[in-house]
Amino acid sequence: MYRAALIIPVFNEEKQIYNTLKHIDMNKYHVICVDDGSSDSSSLEIRKTKARLIKHPINLGQGASLQTGIEYALQNPDIQYFVTFDADGQHRTEDVIEMLDKIKAGKFDIVLGSRFLGDTVNMPILKKIILKYAIKFANFTSGVKLTDTHNGLRVFTRETAEKLDLQMADYSHASEIIEKIGTLQLKYTEVPVTIEYTDYSKSKGQSMINAVNIGFDILLDKVIRR
């Protein structure tokens, strides 16, 4: 057992979630799936596995799902490391092991996966362009310098989990985490990871207009806090 919780936000993932979970060694991780008000059979697919299922009665957003999963995992004192992991099959557990090894060395509070230091498979050109602009925007607004700012694969310590307290319920949580790395002065590093884009994962991805909305959310939040 790695003493690590894999927290997986789930929203209408009945076609993929079982396949994602069957590739995770449930004897090594505490796997926590947060069904965020799915209208399909996602929960039934999760129940076919040994993963812990938590359900939101309505859809609140990925950020809210992660915060729910973090709060649940914090109740278990055996869990010392927290992993955010996507439901759509893009992430690899091999990368999680490397990231856990990195954080267990004790030099960092949070380890972030970077597809641009690692590899991407079948990544759409438009997606790459949007992400590159998002990286520049996030680095500029947060003061944190990263090569990949919206990668859902992250590993952080229990102490970091207690501090994060995510308030942005939607996809804006990715930028919020980066902001908090800066404001909380967390020690961070990036690790090369592989992201594989399948037809399924591409169909579930964020639209360009959603990426623009996230940018406005972040700017508005910064203005309000000032």
Short mmCIF file of all heavy atoms in Angstrom, two decimals, residues 1-8 10 16-34 42-53 76 79 85-87 93 96-97 100:
data_model
loop_
_atom_site.label_atom_id
_atom_site.label_comp_id
_atom_site.label_asym_id
_atom_site.label_seq_id
_atom_site.Cartn_x
_atom_site.Cartn_y
_atom_site.Cartn_z
N MET A 1 0.84 -1.20 0.00
CA MET A 1 0.00 0.00 0.00
C MET A 1 0.87 1.25 0.00
O MET A 1 1.79 1.37 0.80
CB MET A 1 -0.93 0.02 1.22
CG MET A 1 -1.80 1.24 1.35
SD MET A 1 -3.08 1.37 0.08
CE MET A 1 -4.21 0.08 0.57
N TYR A 2 0.63 2.17 -0.94
CA TYR A 2 1.42 3.39 -1.07
C TYR A 2 0.99 4.48 -0.08
O TYR A 2 1.55 5.56 -0.08
CB TYR A 2 1.30 3.94 -2.49
CG TYR A 2 1.97 3.08 -3.55
CD1 TYR A 2 1.26 2.68 -4.67
CD2 TYR A 2 3.29 2.71 -3.42
CE1 TYR A 2 1.86 1.90 -5.65
CE2 TYR A 2 3.90 1.93 -4.40
CZ TYR A 2 3.18 1.53 -5.51
OH TYR A 2 3.78 0.76 -6.47
N ARG A 3 -0.04 4.22 0.75
CA ARG A 3 -0.60 5.22 1.66
C ARG A 3 -1.07 6.45 0.87
O ARG A 3 -0.97 7.57 1.33
CB ARG A 3 0.42 5.61 2.73
CG ARG A 3 0.90 4.44 3.57
CD ARG A 3 1.81 4.90 4.69
NE ARG A 3 1.05 5.58 5.74
CZ ARG A 3 1.64 6.23 6.75
NH1 ARG A 3 2.95 6.31 6.80
NH2 ARG A 3 0.89 6.79 7.68
N ALA A 4 -1.56 6.18 -0.33
CA ALA A 4 -1.98 7.26 -1.23
C ALA A 4 -3.43 7.06 -1.65
O ALA A 4 -3.87 5.94 -1.89
CB ALA A 4 -1.09 7.30 -2.46
N ALA A 5 -4.16 8.17 -1.74
CA ALA A 5 -5.53 8.15 -2.24
C ALA A 5 -5.55 8.66 -3.68
O ALA A 5 -5.01 9.73 -3.97
CB ALA A 5 -6.42 9.04 -1.37
N LEU A 6 -6.14 7.87 -4.56
CA LEU A 6 -6.40 8.33 -5.92
C LEU A 6 -7.81 8.89 -5.95
O LEU A 6 -8.78 8.16 -5.73
CB LEU A 6 -6.28 7.18 -6.92
CG LEU A 6 -5.00 7.11 -7.75
CD1 LEU A 6 -3.85 6.77 -6.84
CD2 LEU A 6 -5.12 6.09 -8.87
N ILE A 7 -7.94 10.19 -6.18
CA ILE A 7 -9.24 10.85 -6.18
C ILE A 7 -9.65 11.09 -7.63
O ILE A 7 -8.97 11.80 -8.38
CB ILE A 7 -9.18 12.17 -5.40
CG1 ILE A 7 -8.77 11.87 -3.95
CG2 ILE A 7 -10.52 12.89 -5.44
CD1 ILE A 7 -8.41 13.10 -3.15
N ILE A 8 -10.77 10.50 -8.02
CA ILE A 8 -11.19 10.52 -9.42
C ILE A 8 -12.58 11.17 -9.53
O ILE A 8 -13.58 10.59 -9.11
CB ILE A 8 -11.25 9.10 -9.99
CG1 ILE A 8 -9.91 8.38 -9.78
CG2 ILE A 8 -11.62 9.14 -11.48
CD1 ILE A 8 -9.90 6.94 -10.25
N VAL A 10 -15.92 11.99 -11.38
CA VAL A 10 -16.64 11.24 -12.41
C VAL A 10 -17.93 11.96 -12.76
O VAL A 10 -18.75 12.25 -11.88
CB VAL A 10 -16.96 9.81 -11.92
CG1 VAL A 10 -17.73 9.04 -12.98
CG2 VAL A 10 -15.69 9.07 -11.53
N GLN A 16 -16.40 4.54 -19.86
CA GLN A 16 -14.95 4.44 -19.67
C GLN A 16 -14.51 4.12 -18.24
O GLN A 16 -13.46 3.53 -18.04
CB GLN A 16 -14.29 5.76 -20.11
CG GLN A 16 -12.80 5.85 -19.86
CD GLN A 16 -11.99 4.80 -20.62
OE1 GLN A 16 -12.35 4.46 -21.76
NE2 GLN A 16 -10.92 4.31 -20.02
N ILE A 17 -15.29 4.52 -17.24
CA ILE A 17 -14.79 4.50 -15.87
C ILE A 17 -14.37 3.09 -15.41
O ILE A 17 -13.35 2.93 -14.73
CB ILE A 17 -15.81 5.12 -14.88
CG1 ILE A 17 -15.19 5.25 -13.48
CG2 ILE A 17 -17.11 4.35 -14.87
CD1 ILE A 17 -13.95 6.11 -13.41
N TYR A 18 -15.12 2.05 -15.79
CA TYR A 18 -14.73 0.70 -15.38
C TYR A 18 -13.37 0.33 -15.97
O TYR A 18 -12.52 -0.25 -15.28
CB TYR A 18 -15.79 -0.32 -15.80
CG TYR A 18 -15.40 -1.73 -15.42
CD1 TYR A 18 -15.58 -2.20 -14.12
CD2 TYR A 18 -14.84 -2.59 -16.36
CE1 TYR A 18 -15.21 -3.48 -13.76
CE2 TYR A 18 -14.47 -3.88 -16.02
CZ TYR A 18 -14.66 -4.32 -14.71
OH TYR A 18 -14.27 -5.60 -14.36
N ASN A 19 -13.17 0.66 -17.22
CA ASN A 19 -11.89 0.36 -17.88
C ASN A 19 -10.74 1.11 -17.22
O ASN A 19 -9.63 0.58 -17.06
CB ASN A 19 -11.96 0.70 -19.37
CG ASN A 19 -10.74 0.22 -20.13
OD1 ASN A 19 -10.41 -0.98 -20.10
ND2 ASN A 19 -10.07 1.13 -20.80
N THR A 20 -11.00 2.36 -16.82
CA THR A 20 -9.98 3.15 -16.11
C THR A 20 -9.64 2.50 -14.77
O THR A 20 -8.47 2.34 -14.42
CB THR A 20 -10.47 4.59 -15.88
OG1 THR A 20 -10.64 5.24 -17.15
CG2 THR A 20 -9.47 5.39 -15.05
N LEU A 21 -10.67 2.10 -14.04
CA LEU A 21 -10.46 1.55 -12.70
C LEU A 21 -9.80 0.17 -12.72
O LEU A 21 -9.02 -0.17 -11.82
CB LEU A 21 -11.79 1.48 -11.96
CG LEU A 21 -12.41 2.82 -11.59
CD1 LEU A 21 -13.81 2.62 -11.00
CD2 LEU A 21 -11.53 3.59 -10.61
N LYS A 22 -10.08 -0.62 -13.73
CA LYS A 22 -9.53 -1.99 -13.75
C LYS A 22 -8.02 -1.99 -13.97
O LYS A 22 -7.36 -3.01 -13.72
CB LYS A 22 -10.24 -2.84 -14.80
CG LYS A 22 -9.82 -2.58 -16.24
CD LYS A 22 -10.54 -3.54 -17.19
CE LYS A 22 -10.07 -3.36 -18.63
NZ LYS A 22 -10.74 -4.29 -19.56
N HIS A 23 -7.47 -0.86 -14.41
CA HIS A 23 -6.02 -0.75 -14.60
C HIS A 23 -5.32 -0.19 -13.35
O HIS A 23 -4.11 0.04 -13.39
CB HIS A 23 -5.71 0.11 -15.81
CG HIS A 23 -6.02 -0.57 -17.12
ND1 HIS A 23 -7.19 -0.37 -17.79
CD2 HIS A 23 -5.31 -1.47 -17.85
CE1 HIS A 23 -7.20 -1.10 -18.90
NE2 HIS A 23 -6.07 -1.78 -18.96
N ILE A 24 -6.08 0.04 -12.29
CA ILE A 24 -5.51 0.56 -11.04
C ILE A 24 -5.47 -0.58 -10.02
O ILE A 24 -6.46 -1.26 -9.81
CB ILE A 24 -6.36 1.73 -10.50
CG1 ILE A 24 -6.39 2.88 -11.50
CG2 ILE A 24 -5.79 2.21 -9.16
CD1 ILE A 24 -7.35 4.01 -11.12
N ASP A 25 -4.32 -0.76 -9.39
CA ASP A 25 -4.17 -1.81 -8.37
C ASP A 25 -4.82 -1.33 -7.07
O ASP A 25 -4.27 -0.52 -6.34
CB ASP A 25 -2.68 -2.10 -8.14
CG ASP A 25 -2.47 -3.32 -7.24
OD1 ASP A 25 -3.41 -3.71 -6.55
OD2 ASP A 25 -1.34 -3.86 -7.25
N MET A 26 -6.00 -1.86 -6.79
CA MET A 26 -6.77 -1.44 -5.62
C MET A 26 -6.11 -1.87 -4.30
O MET A 26 -6.51 -1.42 -3.23
CB MET A 26 -8.19 -2.00 -5.69
CG MET A 26 -8.97 -1.57 -6.91
SD MET A 26 -9.59 0.12 -6.82
CE MET A 26 -10.40 0.28 -8.42
N ASN A 27 -5.14 -2.78 -4.38
CA ASN A 27 -4.44 -3.21 -3.18
C ASN A 27 -3.32 -2.24 -2.79
O ASN A 27 -2.77 -2.34 -1.70
CB ASN A 27 -3.84 -4.60 -3.39
CG ASN A 27 -4.90 -5.67 -3.56
OD1 ASN A 27 -5.89 -5.68 -2.83
ND2 ASN A 27 -4.71 -6.55 -4.52
N LYS A 28 -3.01 -1.31 -3.70
CA LYS A 28 -1.92 -0.36 -3.44
C LYS A 28 -2.42 1.06 -3.18
O LYS A 28 -1.70 1.88 -2.62
CB LYS A 28 -0.94 -0.36 -4.62
CG LYS A 28 -0.18 -1.66 -4.79
CD LYS A 28 0.84 -1.58 -5.91
CE LYS A 28 1.65 -2.87 -6.02
NZ LYS A 28 2.63 -2.82 -7.12
N TYR A 29 -3.62 1.36 -3.62
CA TYR A 29 -4.16 2.71 -3.48
C TYR A 29 -5.54 2.68 -2.80
O TYR A 29 -6.29 1.72 -2.95
CB TYR A 29 -4.34 3.38 -4.85
CG TYR A 29 -3.09 3.51 -5.66
CD1 TYR A 29 -2.79 2.58 -6.66
CD2 TYR A 29 -2.21 4.57 -5.47
CE1 TYR A 29 -1.65 2.71 -7.44
CE2 TYR A 29 -1.06 4.71 -6.24
CZ TYR A 29 -0.79 3.76 -7.22
OH TYR A 29 0.34 3.88 -7.98
N HIS A 30 -5.85 3.75 -2.10
CA HIS A 30 -7.22 4.02 -1.68
C HIS A 30 -7.86 4.78 -2.86
O HIS A 30 -7.53 5.95 -3.09
CB HIS A 30 -7.26 4.90 -0.43
CG HIS A 30 -6.57 4.31 0.75
ND1 HIS A 30 -7.22 3.49 1.67
CD2 HIS A 30 -5.29 4.41 1.18
CE1 HIS A 30 -6.38 3.12 2.61
NE2 HIS A 30 -5.20 3.66 2.34
N VAL A 31 -8.73 4.12 -3.59
CA VAL A 31 -9.33 4.74 -4.78
C VAL A 31 -10.69 5.31 -4.40
O VAL A 31 -11.58 4.59 -3.94
CB VAL A 31 -9.46 3.74 -5.94
CG1 VAL A 31 -10.07 4.43 -7.16
CG2 VAL A 31 -8.09 3.16 -6.28
N ILE A 32 -10.85 6.62 -4.61
CA ILE A 32 -12.08 7.32 -4.24
C ILE A 32 -12.67 7.97 -5.49
O ILE A 32 -12.07 8.86 -6.09
CB ILE A 32 -11.79 8.41 -3.18
CG1 ILE A 32 -11.18 7.78 -1.92
CG2 ILE A 32 -13.07 9.18 -2.85
CD1 ILE A 32 -10.60 8.80 -0.96
N CYS A 33 -13.83 7.49 -5.90
CA CYS A 33 -14.52 8.06 -7.06
C CYS A 33 -15.66 8.95 -6.57
O CYS A 33 -16.49 8.51 -5.76
CB CYS A 33 -15.09 6.95 -7.95
SG CYS A 33 -13.85 5.95 -8.79
N VAL A 34 -15.69 10.16 -7.06
CA VAL A 34 -16.76 11.09 -6.70
C VAL A 34 -17.67 11.26 -7.92
O VAL A 34 -17.30 11.91 -8.89
CB VAL A 34 -16.20 12.45 -6.24
CG1 VAL A 34 -17.35 13.37 -5.84
CG2 VAL A 34 -15.22 12.27 -5.09
N SER A 42 -22.77 5.61 -14.42
CA SER A 42 -21.40 5.68 -13.91
C SER A 42 -21.26 4.99 -12.55
O SER A 42 -20.32 4.23 -12.30
CB SER A 42 -20.93 7.14 -13.80
OG SER A 42 -20.80 7.73 -15.06
N SER A 43 -22.19 5.27 -11.64
CA SER A 43 -22.12 4.69 -10.30
C SER A 43 -22.19 3.17 -10.33
O SER A 43 -21.49 2.49 -9.56
CB SER A 43 -23.23 5.25 -9.41
OG SER A 43 -23.00 6.61 -9.10
N LEU A 44 -23.03 2.62 -11.19
CA LEU A 44 -23.13 1.17 -11.30
C LEU A 44 -21.82 0.57 -11.78
O LEU A 44 -21.41 -0.51 -11.31
CB LEU A 44 -24.27 0.79 -12.26
CG LEU A 44 -25.68 1.16 -11.82
CD1 LEU A 44 -26.70 0.79 -12.89
CD2 LEU A 44 -26.03 0.48 -10.50
N GLU A 45 -21.15 1.25 -12.70
CA GLU A 45 -19.86 0.76 -13.20
C GLU A 45 -18.80 0.83 -12.10
O GLU A 45 -17.96 -0.08 -11.98
CB GLU A 45 -19.42 1.59 -14.41
CG GLU A 45 -20.30 1.43 -15.63
CD GLU A 45 -20.32 0.00 -16.14
OE1 GLU A 45 -19.23 -0.58 -16.32
OE2 GLU A 45 -21.42 -0.54 -16.35
N ILE A 46 -18.83 1.88 -11.30
CA ILE A 46 -17.87 2.01 -10.20
C ILE A 46 -18.09 0.91 -9.17
O ILE A 46 -17.13 0.34 -8.63
CB ILE A 46 -17.98 3.40 -9.55
CG1 ILE A 46 -17.56 4.49 -10.54
CG2 ILE A 46 -17.13 3.50 -8.28
CD1 ILE A 46 -17.92 5.90 -10.12
N ARG A 47 -19.34 0.57 -8.91
CA ARG A 47 -19.67 -0.45 -7.90
C ARG A 47 -19.21 -1.85 -8.30
O ARG A 47 -19.20 -2.76 -7.47
CB ARG A 47 -21.17 -0.43 -7.62
CG ARG A 47 -21.63 0.79 -6.81
CD ARG A 47 -23.03 0.57 -6.24
NE ARG A 47 -23.42 1.67 -5.38
CZ ARG A 47 -24.28 2.63 -5.72
NH1 ARG A 47 -24.83 2.62 -6.93
NH2 ARG A 47 -24.60 3.59 -4.87
N LYS A 48 -18.86 -2.03 -9.56
CA LYS A 48 -18.32 -3.31 -10.01
C LYS A 48 -16.89 -3.52 -9.53
O LYS A 48 -16.33 -4.60 -9.67
CB LYS A 48 -18.37 -3.41 -11.54
CG LYS A 48 -19.77 -3.44 -12.14
CD LYS A 48 -19.69 -3.48 -13.65
CE LYS A 48 -21.08 -3.46 -14.29
NZ LYS A 48 -21.00 -3.44 -15.77
N THR A 49 -16.28 -2.46 -8.99
CA THR A 49 -14.89 -2.50 -8.55
C THR A 49 -14.82 -2.32 -7.03
O THR A 49 -15.84 -2.17 -6.36
CB THR A 49 -14.08 -1.38 -9.22
OG1 THR A 49 -14.42 -0.11 -8.63
CG2 THR A 49 -14.37 -1.32 -10.72
N LYS A 50 -13.59 -2.29 -6.51
CA LYS A 50 -13.37 -2.09 -5.08
C LYS A 50 -13.20 -0.61 -4.72
O LYS A 50 -12.90 -0.28 -3.57
CB LYS A 50 -12.15 -2.86 -4.62
CG LYS A 50 -12.30 -4.37 -4.72
CD LYS A 50 -11.04 -5.07 -4.24
CE LYS A 50 -11.19 -6.58 -4.32
NZ LYS A 50 -9.95 -7.28 -3.88
N ALA A 51 -13.40 0.27 -5.70
CA ALA A 51 -13.24 1.70 -5.44
C ALA A 51 -14.35 2.19 -4.49
O ALA A 51 -15.48 1.70 -4.52
CB ALA A 51 -13.29 2.49 -6.74
N ARG A 52 -14.01 3.18 -3.66
CA ARG A 52 -14.99 3.83 -2.79
C ARG A 52 -15.80 4.82 -3.62
O ARG A 52 -15.23 5.62 -4.38
CB ARG A 52 -14.29 4.54 -1.66
CG ARG A 52 -15.19 5.31 -0.72
CD ARG A 52 -16.05 4.41 0.12
NE ARG A 52 -15.25 3.60 1.03
CZ ARG A 52 -15.76 2.71 1.87
NH1 ARG A 52 -17.07 2.50 1.91
NH2 ARG A 52 -14.96 2.02 2.68
N LEU A 53 -17.11 4.77 -3.50
CA LEU A 53 -17.98 5.66 -4.26
C LEU A 53 -18.61 6.70 -3.35
O LEU A 53 -19.21 6.38 -2.32
CB LEU A 53 -19.09 4.85 -4.95
CG LEU A 53 -20.20 5.65 -5.64
CD1 LEU A 53 -19.64 6.48 -6.79
CD2 LEU A 53 -21.30 4.72 -6.14
N ASN A 76 -9.08 9.65 6.82
CA ASN A 76 -8.29 8.44 7.04
C ASN A 76 -6.85 8.83 7.35
O ASN A 76 -6.12 9.28 6.47
CB ASN A 76 -8.34 7.56 5.80
CG ASN A 76 -7.64 6.21 5.99
OD1 ASN A 76 -6.83 6.05 6.91
ND2 ASN A 76 -7.94 5.26 5.14
N ILE A 79 -3.75 7.80 5.14
CA ILE A 79 -3.47 8.41 3.83
C ILE A 79 -2.57 9.62 4.00
O ILE A 79 -2.93 10.60 4.66
CB ILE A 79 -4.79 8.81 3.13
CG1 ILE A 79 -5.61 7.56 2.81
CG2 ILE A 79 -4.50 9.60 1.85
CD1 ILE A 79 -6.99 7.84 2.26
N PHE A 85 -6.67 12.27 -10.37
CA PHE A 85 -6.55 11.34 -11.51
C PHE A 85 -7.83 11.42 -12.33
O PHE A 85 -8.93 11.33 -11.78
CB PHE A 85 -6.35 9.92 -10.95
CG PHE A 85 -5.82 8.91 -11.92
CD1 PHE A 85 -4.46 8.72 -12.07
CD2 PHE A 85 -6.69 8.11 -12.65
CE1 PHE A 85 -3.96 7.76 -12.94
CE2 PHE A 85 -6.21 7.15 -13.53
CZ PHE A 85 -4.84 6.97 -13.67
N ASP A 86 -7.71 11.58 -13.64
CA ASP A 86 -8.89 11.74 -14.49
C ASP A 86 -9.56 10.41 -14.78
O ASP A 86 -8.92 9.35 -14.83
CB ASP A 86 -8.51 12.42 -15.81
CG ASP A 86 -8.22 13.90 -15.64
OD1 ASP A 86 -8.47 14.43 -14.54
OD2 ASP A 86 -7.73 14.53 -16.60
N ALA A 87 -10.87 10.46 -15.02
CA ALA A 87 -11.66 9.26 -15.24
C ALA A 87 -11.62 8.77 -16.68
O ALA A 87 -12.01 7.63 -16.96
CB ALA A 87 -13.12 9.54 -14.85
N THR A 93 -0.91 4.85 -14.47
CA THR A 93 -0.49 4.63 -13.09
C THR A 93 1.04 4.54 -12.98
O THR A 93 1.59 4.79 -11.91
CB THR A 93 -1.12 3.34 -12.52
OG1 THR A 93 -0.84 2.25 -13.41
CG2 THR A 93 -2.62 3.50 -12.37
N VAL A 96 2.09 7.83 -11.96
CA VAL A 96 1.75 8.08 -10.56
C VAL A 96 2.85 7.54 -9.65
O VAL A 96 3.27 8.21 -8.69
CB VAL A 96 0.39 7.44 -10.19
CG1 VAL A 96 0.13 7.57 -8.69
CG2 VAL A 96 -0.74 8.10 -10.98
N ILE A 97 3.35 6.35 -9.93
CA ILE A 97 4.40 5.74 -9.12
C ILE A 97 5.64 6.62 -9.11
O ILE A 97 6.25 6.86 -8.05
CB ILE A 97 4.74 4.33 -9.64
CG1 ILE A 97 3.54 3.40 -9.43
CG2 ILE A 97 5.97 3.77 -8.92
CD1 ILE A 97 3.68 2.05 -10.11
N LEU A 100 4.95 9.69 -7.00
CA LEU A 100 4.95 9.37 -5.57
C LEU A 100 6.38 9.21 -5.05
O LEU A 100 6.72 9.67 -3.96
CB LEU A 100 4.16 8.09 -5.31
CG LEU A 100 2.64 8.23 -5.28
CD1 LEU A 100 1.98 6.86 -5.31
CD2 LEU A 100 2.18 9.02 -4.06
#
